[in-house]
Amino acid sequence: MEPGNQTSVLEFLLQGFSQDSEQQPIVFGLFLSVFVVTVLGNLLIILTISSDLHLHTPMYYFLSNLSWADICFTSTTVPKMLVNIQTQSKSITYAGCITQVYFFLAFGGMDTFLLTVMAYDSFVAICHSLHYTVTINPRLCGLLVLVSWFISLSYSLIQSLLMLRLSFCTNWVIPHFYCELAQVLTLACSDTLIHYVLLYTLTGFLGIVPFSGILFSYTRIVSSILRIPSAHGKYKAFSTCASHLSVVSLFYGTGLGVYLSSDSSSWRGMIASVMYTVVTPMLNPFIYSLRNRDIKRALQKVLERMLCAQ
């Protein structure tokens, strides 16, 4: 490709975490292990919920959707990075970059909405338990998930289509381990004002509004828990809420931090990206499921059936 002021880019180069070839096997082994745990953990949760009729409730319906979204979310970035390390290549095609941005925004947005919906489900279950079955009915559950998918896919489609309008100069190096939209925009020679306006406005809206809803829900939940007369009941409820909030805070805190940061390509920015793109999907099966008695019992039955079949 000949240098010039503007040109059609054929591929980008993903700089990744380290330029040191001796550290590449360590990075590869670490991310491969986390990816395998994430996929297997979330698949096991989906299998457990689908195989046990007692878990066919709104809470576990949302949890199974979250597990699917987490698997897809992690799969948009980690496999490509592992392939690049294994082949000692840093390239990703322009079409591949746009595709990665599309699915990354879609599944990331889906994670955001599902965490909000799950917080709302917990709020109704604890604060309005007498009306729970009427309020959280199957029709509403399906509608909430459908609307979440529609908004997430629409937002990612808009951003991906706008990327097609960009033209690039001679610098095609993305200082990240995946095609991060803000980093791609910094490489463009064409006018990116509308891209930045949409990026920060919609990302802020899709991030801050759901996060505010989650905080409101858990504030009301904590208020209700404080009125529980049993000390053991309070401890159990607070323990569950604290673990859920820790994952939500990690996801939203690092995710919003990356998009609102002025230098998301720094080492600190990339670590923050790893937290919400890789670590949080791995933790969700443990936080939302393995601390749950119903899931533990159902999981034990599934494992027993698998062992008996062998």
Side-chain angles (χ1 to χ4, degrees), residues 229-248:
S230 169
H232 176 71
K234 285 182 180 179
Y235 173 79
K236 180 181 177 182
F238 271 123
S239 176
T240 303
C241 287
S243 60
H244 290 188
L245 275 175
S246 63
V247 173
V248 170

Side-chain angles (χ1 to χ4, degrees), residues 29 108 164 297:
L164 294 173
R297 291 169 184 166

Side-chain angles (χ1 to χ4, degrees), residues 31 34-35 37-39 41-42 63 66-67 69-71 73-74 77-78 107-108 111-112 115 118 214 243-256 271-289:
F31 277 87
V34 172
F35 180 69
V37 171
T38 301
V39 173
N42 282 288
L63 179 58
L66 180 66
S67 293
D70 280 340
I71 292 173
F73 187 44
T74 305
T77 57
V78 177
F107 295 123
D111 258 13
T112 299
L115 289 172
M118 291 173 70
I214 291 174
S243 60
H244 290 188
L245 275 175
S246 63
V247 173
V248 170
S249 300
L250 180 65
F251 180 82
Y252 278 95
T254 55
L256 289 175
I271 294 299
S273 296
V274 171
M275 289 296 107
Y276 82 94
T277 61
V278 181
V279 176
T280 302
M282 180 189 67
L283 292 178
N284 280 341
F286 300 98
I287 297 299
Y288 284 100
S289 304

